[in-house]
Structures are given as C-alpha cells and as structure tokens.
Amino acid sequence: MGMQNPFQNTMTQLDKVAQIKDFGDDFIARLRQPDRDIRISIPIKMDNGSVKIFEGYRVEYNNALGPYKGGIRYHPDTEINEVKALAFWMTLKCAVAGIPMGGGKGGITVDPKKLSSGELEQLSRGWVKMLSDVLGPHKDVPAPDVNTTPEIMAWMTDEFEKITGDRTKATFTGKPIEKGGSEGRGEATGLGGFYVFDTLRAQIGLPNKCKVVVQGFGNVGGNAARVFVENGHIVIAISDSKNAIVNENGLDLEKVEAHKKNTGGLKDFPGAINITNTELLELPCDLLVPAAFENVITDANADKIKARAILELANGPITPEADEILFKKGINVIPDILANSGGVTVSYFEWDQNLKQQHWSEEEVFDKLRPMLEDASKKIFEKARESKTHLRMGAFIFALERIKAKML
Ligand code: GLU
C-alpha cells in the first residue's frame, strides 16, 4: 500500500530499463497500458439482511507468453492502480520464471476479516459471476494473493464450473489439494525464494549461516522463515501486521507460532524484545526479507537499512527511489519478480496437472521447481553484470527480451 502510486512506480522502472537497453519505443509504449482493466460491482446480501456493494477488479496486462496469470487480493486499500502494478509485475514474473503465461491480477476492496464466512463466499462467487466471460484455462487463470486462500479458490472454481460447465479445474490455481490443487503450492513462494537466495548467496557475498529478518508472518513470510531455519540460517526477527519481535540469538518459530495462536499476536514473546515494524526493517542483519506489502522501503528509510542484502518476497516492497539509494550503499536486492516467482511457477504446474489430469508428488514438484529458479537466478545475475546494473534491472532486461521475442 504505502503513499506512492504503485503503478507510477512500475512506469518509473520501465523508463529506467529503457535507458539501460534499447527495446524500441513501440514496445515500451505497448507495455505502458494493460490489454484491459475491468472494474466490477459485486452486490452481496449481508447476514443482517442489508445489501452491500463491493468494488472488484481484474487487470489483464499482457498475454504475449500465454494466458493472463495472477492472484486476487482482498484488502481495504486495494484499488485499481495497485492491481495494475501487480498485473504488470506478473507479466514480467512469468517471463522470468520461463512459464508459458502472461500477466494479470485481480482484487476486491474489502477487509475480509470483517465478513462472515457466508458473506466471504458470496463475495468470491460474485467476483467470478461478473468476470466469467473473460476467465478460462486458456484465457485468464487467477490464483490466491494477499488474504485469499485455497478455500476461496475452491468456491471460485465451483462457481466457474456452474456457470460455464468447464470441468478441467484449470481456471484457478492454489486450490485445496483434494479439489485439484498441486502438492507444494502453499510452500512454493517461500521455498522458491530460498532456492533463489541459495543460488546467489555466495555471489552476493553472504555467509553460510545468515542472520535473517522477516517482515510478515503470513503464508509467504511464515514459510520462508521456516525454510531458512531448516537450512541452517537464523531468523532473528519477525513481524506481523501489528507487532515485531527480535532475539539476536534466533527465534524458535514453532513457539512463536504457538504464542501467536494463543495470544493473537507476536507481542511479549518470551525471550524476545518487542520492536516496531519500522525498527524491524532497520535491524543490522545479513538478509532482510520483506514479505508483506509494497512501498515499505522508500527514500524516507532506505538510508537507514543495515541489511547486507534484501530478498523481496512481497511484490513491490522497495520504491524506485529507494532502489537507487540501496544500490549506492552496496546492498544487493534480489527483486520480487525473481525472488517470489516460485509461487506462480507451481501455479503453472497445477494448471498443467489439471489439464493433463495428473497429480504429481511434492518431490516431483520441488524437483521441477528448483532447477528453473536456479537457472533464472544465474541468468539474471549475468544480465545485471553485463549491463553494469542491479539485479532488478537485470531481471527486467531478461523478462522484456523474452516478451519482446513473442510480441513482434
Ligand atoms: N499472487 C502470487 C504472486 O504475486 C501468485 C500468482 C499465481 O500463482 O498466479 O506471484
């Protein structure tokens, strides 16, 4: 969220890449607009009998590489510019991951925590009703994003099936396993982020055993923290939307989770110190992992960041101005469109399994995922080095070359 218009930020990034490499004005101009952006109104009957109308969106940004692909976000601050930015990043992310998918994103302006389960189901089915014409396995394939869950994907799949008769289950990914979901999809974003980090770790000068700070304790941040610890690193601080905690010697994540369940938050976790989310971002550490929202590192705090490197598991956590400040300080940023692309890659596996009526084991899924991310990481590192730029611009060049090759 943050104050800055995230779509404006994506266009600043696009301007920057066009200065580093000549892609031709026509191609860059084409990428300044989504193919289409759709705004819908979704009326639902609230439990108290009143009717409430929610605003929803689907942005289909670019399908040069395949069907539009990208999650659906439920958040009170979600608005069209945020969804457009996220859809733009999805376009590049799918190209980075090397999957035959284009970029899209959806959302509803809503605080889902304020709805009952019945209201949430109506709202989710309502989103599909309004958009069923443009969705489909070969047209546009949504997935979960912030505050949307496998259960929501199951409601949406069911609604789509009722309306269109499509029985492939391939129109939504991130479904529960027993309803056509893929093994490993839940862990894929966090685990994929670790694979990317592990491929680049030595090259960006990080030690074998890193001190890691994670912002966010949701599906992505929580899973990533666990994977880092399983692989011998120490998570010294973590936060949720309300609080943050730090213990220089490392946090026992299982106990942190139990504490959050029992008390409703992270505050006063035994042995740790309570800090603010702002302080968490500024802690000295080897690796900072923003895994929550966009625009958390801006020109206002970039100078205070003391991490040696940053792994962006959230989409767009660093503004373009902050990027330059961090680059000058020698802080390596592993960009979102590479770092969190494990999620959409396993979504693509899910889509593929649905269309082929197969079910792969978790081992098979991770065995396919790892080399894809390693390959993309190495190539992007090289691109950045060749062009004497940072990894984000390396990733942009890499993605735009793939997209351009299909568009002309
Ligand atoms: N919402 C996720 C992302 O931002 C996943 C999208 C997908 O699986 O299609 O990458």
Side-chain angles (χ1 to χ4, degrees):
M1 260 80 324
M3 300 295 282
Q4 261 170 280
N5 174 343
F7 188 63
Q8 196 54 53
N9 287 348
T10 64
M11 294 301 106
T12 307
Q13 293 171 333
L14 195 59
D15 288 340
K16 258 199 228 175
V17 73
Q19 279 164 20
I20 300 170
K21 184 172 167 145
D22 185 7
F23 282 97
D25 293 348
D26 293 350
F27 176 66
I28 296 294
R30 184 78 188 84
L31 287 178
R32 289 194 175 281
Q33 303 289 339
D35 287 348
R36 58 179 157 185
D37 72 56
I38 307 166
R39 300 175 206 209
I40 56 173
S41 305
I42 313 166
I44 68 166
K45 191 141 196 193
M46 305 299 281
D47 292 348
N48 67 11
S50 67
V51 171
K52 209 167 162 188
I53 297 167
F54 291 87
E55 199 175 352
Y57 319 88
R58 185 69 182 169
V59 174
E60 297 184 331
Y61 209 96
N62 181 287
N63 64 354
L65 295 181
Y68 302 104
K69 183 87 196 79
I72 308 164
R73 176 172 294 201
Y74 289 0
H75 198 280
D77 296 337
T78 288
E79 44 78 47
I80 191 69
N81 284 307
E82 183 192 37
V83 182
K84 271 166 73 177
L86 292 161
F88 172 85
W89 286 322
M90 282 310 303
T91 305
L92 273 66
K93 192 186 301 187
C94 292
V96 160
I99 59 175
M101 296 278 176
K105 202 82 178 196
I108 302 179
T109 310
V110 61
D111 183 350
K113 291 177 194 95
K114 294 198 176 134
L115 298 185
S116 69
S117 165
E119 291 165 345
L120 192 65
E121 178 170 348
Q122 273 190 69
L123 186 66
S124 305
R125 289 181 182 273
W127 189 90
V128 176
K129 269 185 204 136
M130 297 302 294
L131 291 165
S132 65
D133 281 355
V134 302
L135 306 176
H138 300 288
K139 295 203 273 186
D140 185 347
V141 184
D145 194 74
V146 173
N147 289 331
T148 47
T149 57
E151 190 184 23
I152 292 176
M153 294 305 116
W155 291 330
M156 290 185 158
T157 307
D158 181 64
E159 191 63 32
F160 188 74
E161 210 169 288
K162 275 191 191 150
I163 297 170
T164 65
D166 172 78
R167 302 220 174 279
T168 63
K169 304 213 182 295
T171 301
F172 295 87
T173 59
K175 301 177 292 289
I177 307 255
E178 65 286 2
K179 298 211 163 137
S182 177
E183 304 290 339
R185 175 63 188 86
E187 299 86 341
T189 310
L191 180 67
F194 174 75
Y195 290 158
V196 170
F197 155 85
D198 208 35
T199 310
L200 298 177
R201 184 187 56 73
Q203 271 155 313
I204 61 175
L206 294 183
N208 285 333
K209 190 172 177 169
C210 286
K211 282 193 170 186
V212 183
V213 169
V214 182
Q215 185 200 32
F217 204 33
N219 172 44
V220 176
N223 268 308
R226 188 179 43 76
V227 175
F228 272 94
V229 170
E230 277 167 14
N231 284 278
H233 302 282
I234 358 175
V235 171
I236 60 164
I238 197 154
S239 67
D240 63 9
S241 56
K242 287 174 249 130
N243 305 293
I245 49 173
V246 57
N247 179 341
E248 279 300 320
N249 300 317
L251 295 163
D252 181 331
L253 296 172
E254 263 173 45
K255 288 191 180 145
V256 173
E257 204 153 328
H259 179 78
K260 188 170 158 73
K261 254 194 201 123
N262 294 336
T263 66
L266 300 175
K267 203 164 178 248
D268 298 332
F269 176 68
I273 301 168
N274 296 322
I275 53 171
T276 63
N277 245 296
T278 312
E279 288 166 334
L280 172 119
L281 293 171
E282 295 166 11
L283 287 171
C285 61
D286 295 305
L287 186 72
L288 172 63
V289 184
F293 288 104
E294 54 264 34
N295 294 346
V296 296
I297 302 175
T298 67
D299 51 0
N301 63 349
D303 230 5
K304 299 183 199 139
I305 302 296
K306 292 174 207 74
R308 293 173 65 186
I310 302 178
L311 180 73
E312 290 186 320
L313 291 187
N315 291 309
I318 302 178
T319 65
E321 298 76 31
D323 254 347
E324 296 314 313
I325 300 172
L326 297 170
F327 189 50
K328 283 198 191 103
K329 279 168 65 105
I331 299 176
N332 279 296
V333 175
I334 305 177
D336 46 9
I337 58 171
L338 170 64
N340 69 30
S341 65
V344 74
T345 304
V346 176
S347 271
Y348 158 64
F349 294 163
E350 180 174 332
W351 174 86
D352 199 28
Q353 290 169 80
N354 292 150
L355 291 177
K356 294 178 176 154
Q357 300 195 358
Q358 293 178 349
H359 189 81
W360 307 345
S361 69
E362 186 180 89
E363 203 188 347
E364 212 175 330
V365 167
F366 295 154
D367 282 353
K368 286 188 205 297
L369 177 65
R370 185 163 197 150
M372 287 171 76
L373 293 177
E374 285 174 353
D375 183 57
S377 304
K378 287 180 195 153
K379 288 188 173 141
I380 285 170
F381 188 83
E382 274 316 307
K383 277 274 174 238
R385 208 163 53 176
E386 265 167 40
S387 307
K388 300 188 173 50
T389 182
H390 47 65
L391 290 169
R392 187 182 320 282
M393 285 298 112
F396 266 58
I397 295 171
F398 181 71
L400 293 181
E401 283 174 350
R402 283 187 165 170
I403 296 165
K404 190 173 175 188
K406 284 278 180 158
M407 264 171 78
L408 295 179

